């Protein structure tokens, strides 16, 4: 009797184990297997795009402030001009263009709209694996000379090497952390400039790779965003460059006027006829920038027209 009971119990255990294994195998092949195959195909397809992409391909990013009065027709006209300015430049040089709005990204209560730039860059890099670089340019800027090519001006290794500032302080008035004295243009993943206030986060180029993913993750860390850095996201990036050699090692500061000039500058970086990009100084919103913007917008139109006449 006891033997029969043990035999039945053993058979029951075996049946249960086999049933569980069958169920596990079924679920694995039904869900995880299908998901893994789909993910694998997606990964391989994306990897092929990355391997075959043009090293000078660029996606341009414009992020406008959703907190501005979007119902104001004058503001809408202003945004349309910005889009036209970027889109025409992109079309002229074979680049991609993306327009994002800060309101599409979750910001902390005390955050400025500038913090939306970081997740917006992440989205653009994910959406455009075929592009080697993303160029973020603030809405408080105008491309004054659309005939300047990023490739010929900066992205060619010889040009990047020529304009890179070696053994240069990260913070001109802070600790003596400096860029490398030896620059390998092919190893540079972040290109920007400095002005009289420090690092420039209003116009910079970031390579679409693992470094970008790491930098954007760290830069957007809530602990940093909530810390009392004097210059917000710019102060955080400056801090990271001074504290993390890995981040600093991929940075190239280039001569300021190569990437942009200013409407006014105590450092002699004022706009001159023919300069590539103009950053509007001392303004951080449509209301404070609109007068200066309209003045230089007219100059841009005239400069572009003169350039066409000269070339023809």
């Amino acid at each position: 009797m006891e033997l029969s009971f043990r035999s039945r119990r053993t058979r029951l255990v075996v049946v249960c184990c086999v049933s569980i294994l069958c169920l596990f195998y079924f679920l694995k092949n039904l869900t995880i297997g299908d998901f893994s195959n789909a993910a694998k195909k997606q990964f391989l397809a994306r990897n092929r795009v990355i391997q075959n992409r043009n090293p000078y391909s660029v996606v341009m990013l414009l992020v406008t402030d959703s907190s501005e009065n979007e119902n104001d027709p004058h503001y809408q006209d202003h945004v349309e001009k910005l889009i036209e300015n970027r889109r025409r430049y992109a079309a002229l040089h074979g680049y991609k263009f993306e327009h994002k709005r800060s309101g599409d990204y979750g910001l902390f209560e005390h955050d400025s709209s500038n913090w939306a730039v970081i997740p917006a860059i992440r989205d653009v890099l994910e959406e455009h694996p075929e592009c080697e670089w993303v160029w973020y340019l603030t809405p408080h800027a105008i491309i004054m000379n659309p005939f300047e090519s990023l490739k010929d001006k900066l992205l060619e290794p010889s040009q990047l090497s020529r304009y890179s500032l070696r053994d240069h302080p990260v913070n001109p008035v802070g600790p003596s952390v400096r860029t490398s004295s030896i620059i390998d243009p092919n190893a540079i993943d972040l290109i920007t400039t400095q002005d009289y206030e420090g690092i420039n986060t209003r116009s910079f180029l970031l390579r679409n790779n693992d470094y970008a993913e790491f930098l954007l993750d760290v830069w957007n860390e809530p602990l940093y965003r909530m810390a009392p850095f004097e210059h917000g996201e710019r102060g955080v990036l400056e801090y990271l460059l001074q504290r993390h050699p890995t981040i600093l090692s991929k940075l190239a500061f280039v001569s300021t006027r190569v990437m942009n000039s200013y409407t006014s500058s105590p450092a002699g970086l004022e706009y001159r006829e023919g300069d590539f990009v103009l950053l509007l100084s001392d303004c951080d919103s449509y209301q404070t920038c609109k007068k200066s913007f309209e003045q230089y917008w007219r100059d841009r139109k005239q400069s572009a027209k003169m350039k066409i006449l000269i070339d023809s």
Side-chain angles (χ1 to χ4, degrees):
M1 183 72 177
E2 183 180 352
L3 183 61
S4 176
F5 174 75
R6 287 181 178 177
S7 178
R8 286 199 303 273
R9 187 173 64 178
T10 301
R11 285 199 299 272
L12 180 61
V13 170
V14 170
V15 169
C16 288
C17 289
V18 170
S19 299
I20 291 172
L21 288 173
C22 289
L23 179 62
F24 175 77
Y25 179 79
F26 173 75
L27 292 175
K28 178 177 182 295
N29 283 276
L30 180 65
T31 57
I32 299 176
D34 290 346
F35 174 78
S36 298
N37 288 334
K40 183 178 179 181
K41 289 178 181 178
Q42 185 178 8
F43 171 80
L44 292 175
R46 183 180 178 85
N47 196 48
R48 282 194 296 271
V49 170
I50 292 172
Q51 289 178 345
N52 295 325
R53 69 188 176 195
N54 183 338
Y56 305 114
S57 53
V58 176
V59 53
M60 300 173 61
L61 173 62
L62 169 68
V63 181
T64 52
D65 187 355
S66 299
S67 66
E68 300 276 8
N69 186 2
E70 294 191 336
N71 296 320
D72 181 350
H74 297 292
Y75 177 70
Q76 288 295 335
D77 179 64
H78 174 74
V79 171
E80 287 302 317
K81 286 178 179 176
L82 289 172
I83 293 173
E84 174 197 344
N85 184 237
R86 310 305 197 258
R87 184 169 283 154
R88 287 189 175 184
Y89 179 81
L92 184 62
H93 297 283
Y95 301 152
K96 302 292 179 64
F97 168 72
E98 290 289 343
H99 173 215
K100 305 289 186 182
R101 294 174 175 81
S102 63
D104 295 336
Y105 300 96
L107 299 175
F108 295 144
E109 185 177 352
H110 65 281
D111 280 348
S112 74
S113 61
N114 293 336
W115 279 106
V117 170
I118 301 172
I121 292 175
R122 282 195 64 108
D123 281 356
V124 165
L125 293 179
E126 183 68 26
E127 292 163 5
H128 292 278
E130 77 282 1
C131 289
E132 182 76 7
W133 296 91
V134 58
W135 178 25
Y136 170 70
L137 182 60
T138 174
H140 310 308
I142 306 172
I143 299 174
M144 299 294 288
N145 184 356
F147 300 93
E148 293 277 15
S149 161
L150 281 173
K151 172 180 177 290
D152 297 337
K153 190 175 184 68
L154 193 58
L155 295 182
E156 284 274 12
S158 60
Q159 291 295 90
L160 182 54
S161 179
R162 173 187 176 188
Y163 289 116
S164 292
L165 303 178
R166 293 162 172 79
D167 193 28
H168 191 76
V170 172
N171 183 349
V173 297
S176 57
V177 176
R178 309 177 79 87
T179 60
S180 175
S181 58
I182 301 173
I183 298 291
D184 176 4
N186 296 307
I188 294 300
D189 293 330
L190 175 62
I191 305 172
T192 188
T193 63
Q194 281 182 316
D195 56 27
Y196 51 92
E197 292 184 333
I199 191 169
N200 181 7
T201 55
R202 298 200 289 166
S203 175
F204 63 89
L205 286 149
L206 181 62
R207 196 189 297 269
N208 190 356
N209 59 12
D210 291 340
Y211 172 85
E213 186 174 342
F214 168 70
L215 173 62
L216 295 172
D217 276 349
V218 178
W219 194 1
N220 203 37
E221 167 60 45
L223 287 175
Y224 289 132
R225 288 172 61 174
M226 297 174 69
F229 285 96
E230 183 179 358
H231 299 293
E233 81 292 341
R234 181 162 63 86
V236 172
L237 180 58
E238 209 163 66
Y239 173 85
L240 292 173
L241 289 168
Q242 293 181 82
R243 296 297 188 277
H244 295 273
T246 301
I247 297 176
L248 177 63
S249 67
K250 298 292 186 178
L251 166 74
F253 282 129
V254 296
S255 303
T256 303
R257 198 178 290 278
V258 174
M259 289 190 72
N260 52 259
S261 51
Y262 297 83
T263 50
S264 62
S265 166
L269 299 172
E270 293 87 354
Y271 171 74
R272 301 172 191 161
E273 179 72 23
D275 281 354
F276 179 29
V277 171
L278 171 67
L279 294 183
L280 305 177
S281 308
D282 304 321
C283 68
D284 55 7
S285 70
Y286 164 64
Q287 293 299 329
T288 57
C289 285
K290 60 182 179 180
K291 183 177 179 180
S292 182
F293 180 90
E294 290 301 326
Q295 173 192 340
Y296 284 98
W297 178 259
R298 290 190 295 270
D299 290 345
R300 180 207 68 87
K301 300 284 280 190
Q302 292 169 359
S303 295
K305 184 176 180 180
M306 287 173 62
K307 179 74 174 176
I308 292 172
L309 290 173
I310 291 171
D311 287 350
S312 61

